[in-house]
Amino acid sequence: MDSLPNSFNPNKRLKEEFVTNLTGSSMLEVSALLTIVSILVILRHSFSSNRLFDISLKKNDNEILGSKDWRAYMATMAVDFLVLVLPNILFFTVLADWTYLWAILLIIVLFFIIALKRSDFPSPSLERRVHYTKEIISSYRVSMMILTCLCILAVDFRIFPRKYAKTETYGTSLMDIGVGSFVLVNSLVSRQARNVSSLRWKTALQSTSPLIILGFVRLISTAGVDYQVHVGEYGVHWNFFFTLAATSILTSIINVPPRYSGMLGSLVLVGYQICLMRRLNLYLLSNERGMDIISQNKEGIFSIFGYWGMYLLGVQLGNYLFFRNNSSAMLRSNRWAGKRALILSILFWIITVLLDRHVERVSRRMCNLTYVTMVLALNLQVLAILMLADYIPGSKTSVLEGAFNRNLLGAFLLANVLTGLVNLSVDTLSASSVTALFVLVVYASTLSTVVGIADFCGIRLKFW
């Protein structure tokens, strides 16, 4: 139904059509983009230092940062923004046609720096390497968050290539990996992966209640302002927060040790894939919908099996790569984890290519087996690249990353609110390239500044 003349969002139908029936780019291009994102983080780490201000690094998530000089803190945040955020905006927009060239150039620069600095970099102690591992995991989580926050607004402008927007049915794009990466990021460092005793299902339901509430808030608010929603993504009523909540609840109800979670996840994924190939995929990709709640939200409800299977695989991978001896306090060294992450990434890339050619093409909409293995391959690739930082002297994190890491949920919620405000106040489809770039830079700088201020004030808002 077209928007009413007095709607908050008169271009709703045009904006929905703008992100509909897209086919994506290629796995190789998405891999190249994530390589660029990862190397930018390492380059920032290679010349960053927390000595610019008086700061006592946190020992755990419940501690408040020590005294810091406000001006030096914000100045360092600004430098982080110029290196970690602004280049990504350019690579996803005006520099999108030179993705492969930039990826190759940055790879050459990275290995040149490693060769130049490695000889002057004494091998860190095992204790120090364990600390590096924690920081690299944080960098990985923040990188995926910043990538998501930038894309959810950029996609509404014409300057953002349509090949990077979410695909309609089958295909691969940059934005397709968003929700899958969110699920995987949380699973790799989850309570289950760390061998921490799992919550009872009632407690788990309570702990995920904020996500459920956020899901309903998003549903009501988007309907209230007539905001554009691509129904083919999750369904009529379903959204990202419901998927996260459902995955968390399922994992808590059906609790298995991390060494067996990969087996259970594989069984779930294979079983789901068999169902898809027995005509369930035709049902999920069809535009026809009944009046019942399941048919109205078929994409979101059935894809839970794919995301749950992915989460279970992530639990075992996280336990294997980072944790050992049944203790969350024991982390494997950075180089050990990095080498195995690279091997696993290559393995999952091979599986993905075989599945894509001989079983079923990648489909984020259904979260099929090929999509799951691709998300695993891409995220392990990012981890493997980030862990090269262990061979370069310098800090293994930055101020901006620390601020985002301590406020992942807050940053994501703020990004959604700012994206909504921009869409309701700016005609994104008619904006010129210059205007679009200006809006994106202001949006990203506002997001980073608010997150930085919140972190400085000791505010913490994270995912489960």
Side-chain angles (χ1 to χ4, degrees):
M1 179 181 296
D2 291 344
S3 302
L4 297 175
N6 60 349
S7 168
F8 286 101
N9 191 13
N11 293 324
K12 175 185 176 182
R13 183 178 60 81
L14 293 176
K15 290 181 178 181
E16 289 176 344
E17 291 176 352
F18 190 53
V19 294
T20 301
N21 297 322
L22 303 176
T23 57
S25 55
S26 68
M27 296 182 196
L28 182 61
E29 185 166 9
V30 175
S31 176
L33 281 167
L34 293 186
T35 297
I36 291 173
V37 172
S38 307
I39 294 178
L40 287 174
V41 173
I42 298 179
L43 294 179
R44 174 58 181 137
H45 292 174
S46 67
F47 63 84
S48 67
S49 173
N50 287 324
R51 296 172 186 172
L52 292 177
F53 53 87
D54 179 21
I55 178 173
S56 58
L57 294 175
K58 295 183 354 149
K59 295 181 180 178
N60 59 61
D61 289 335
N62 296 320
E63 292 184 14
I64 304 298
L65 291 173
S67 61
K68 297 170 286 190
D69 180 78
W70 168 252
R71 291 182 180 178
Y73 178 80
M74 295 309 296
T76 309
M77 282 281 292
V79 173
D80 291 343
F81 177 84
L82 293 175
V83 179
L84 297 175
V85 181
L86 182 59
N88 282 324
I89 296 176
L90 299 177
F91 284 125
F92 299 157
T93 54
V94 295
L95 299 179
D97 291 336
W98 296 278
T99 296
Y100 296 115
L101 175 61
W102 280 106
I104 293 172
L105 289 175
L106 287 175
I107 289 173
I108 293 173
V109 170
L110 174 62
F111 281 102
F112 176 77
I113 292 176
I114 291 177
L116 187 66
K117 293 190 174 185
R118 186 176 181 182
S119 59
D120 301 326
F121 182 40
S123 180
S125 64
L126 178 61
E127 181 181 357
R128 190 60 184 166
R129 286 184 183 178
V130 167
H131 180 67
Y132 287 170
T133 303
K134 293 180 180 179
E135 293 179 331
I136 293 300
I137 294 174
S138 297
S139 292
Y140 158 62
R141 300 171 69 190
V142 171
S143 298
M144 303 312 294
M145 172 62 73
I146 292 177
L147 177 66
T148 300
C149 291
L150 293 178
C151 287
I152 59 175
L153 175 60
V155 70
D156 295 318
F157 290 93
R158 296 190 183 277
I159 195 174
F160 188 81
R162 294 300 87 195
K163 62 182 179 179
Y164 293 162
K166 291 180 180 178
T167 55
E168 185 72 13
T169 54
Y170 292 103
T172 305
S173 76
L174 178 65
M175 291 193 69
D176 277 336
I177 67 171
V179 62
S181 296
F182 259 96
V183 172
L184 186 61
V185 163
N186 282 285
S187 68
L188 291 172
V189 292
S190 63
R191 295 174 61 90
Q192 294 87 353
R194 290 180 283 127
N195 286 290
V196 177
S197 57
S198 298
L199 302 174
R200 295 182 178 181
W201 71 270
K202 290 184 178 179
T203 307
L205 184 60
Q206 293 175 350
S207 67
T208 56
S209 58
L211 291 174
I212 298 174
I213 293 173
L214 288 172
F216 281 107
V217 169
R218 176 175 173 79
L219 173 63
I220 295 172
S221 60
T222 52
V225 298
D226 202 24
Y227 195 76
Q228 67 267 17
V229 176
H230 187 197
V231 175
E233 186 174 347
Y234 291 107
V236 178
H237 313 103
W238 202 266
N239 59 55
F240 168 78
F241 295 108
F242 291 144
T243 295
L244 289 184
T247 303
S248 178
I249 293 172
L250 275 174
T251 306
S252 299
I253 294 176
I254 306 177
N255 181 34
V256 295
R259 64 181 180 275
Y260 299 126
S261 64
M263 182 182 300
L264 176 59
S266 299
L267 291 174
V268 171
L269 290 169
V270 171
Y272 177 53
Q273 184 61 45
I274 292 174
C275 293
L276 287 175
M277 298 182 69
R278 295 195 172 188
R279 303 184 69 81
L280 177 60
N281 54 3
L282 298 179
Y283 168 69
L284 294 181
L285 298 179
S286 170
N287 292 326
E288 297 180 2
R289 298 179 187 275
M291 298 303 296
D292 59 285
I293 192 68
I294 294 179
S295 182
Q296 289 277 295
N297 301 281
K298 55 185 180 180
E299 298 92 344
I301 293 174
F302 281 96
S303 65
I304 290 174
F305 293 103
Y307 290 115
W308 181 39
M310 181 193 300
Y311 188 95
L312 292 171
L313 286 177
V315 167
Q316 183 160 2
L317 287 172
N319 180 263
Y320 170 69
L321 290 173
F322 307 124
F323 308 103
R324 58 181 180 180
N325 298 334
N326 297 320
S327 172
S328 61
M330 296 297 292
L331 278 168
R332 297 189 186 275
S333 71
N334 211 18
R335 296 181 184 181
W336 188 98
K339 292 175 182 177
R340 281 151 184 80
L342 176 60
I343 294 172
L344 286 169
S345 176
I346 295 172
L347 176 62
F348 278 113
W349 270 124
I350 294 173
I351 295 173
T352 300
V353 172
L354 292 175
L355 290 173
D356 189 66
R357 291 183 179 180
H358 303 292
V359 179
E360 187 176 40
R361 293 184 61 203
V362 174
S363 176
R364 182 265 319 152
R365 182 169 172 175
M366 297 184 291
C367 192
N368 61 0
L369 180 58
T370 317
Y371 172 78
V372 171
T373 58
M374 183 191 70
V375 170
L376 286 165
L378 285 167
N379 280 265
L380 288 168
Q381 170 191 311
V382 171
L383 271 172
I385 295 174
L386 288 175
M387 288 180 178
L388 290 175
D390 198 42
Y391 296 93
I392 304 175
S395 174
K396 305 307 176 190
T397 188
S398 64
V399 177
L400 184 142
E401 289 174 280
F404 269 85
N405 185 54
R406 289 182 285 272
N407 286 282
L408 286 175
L409 179 58
F412 184 68
L413 292 178
L414 178 59
N416 275 268
V417 171
L418 292 176
T419 297
L421 291 176
V422 171
N423 268 280
L424 294 177
S425 57
V426 176
D427 184 2
T428 57
L429 297 182
S430 301
S432 65
S433 296
V434 174
T435 301
L437 272 178
F438 176 77
V439 172
L440 288 172
V441 171
V442 171
Y443 157 80
S445 59
T446 301
L447 176 64
S448 300
T449 301
V450 174
V451 170
I453 293 174
D455 179 61
F456 188 89
C457 297
I459 299 173
R460 307 286 180 263
L461 191 56
K462 304 178 71 174
F463 282 97
W464 77 84

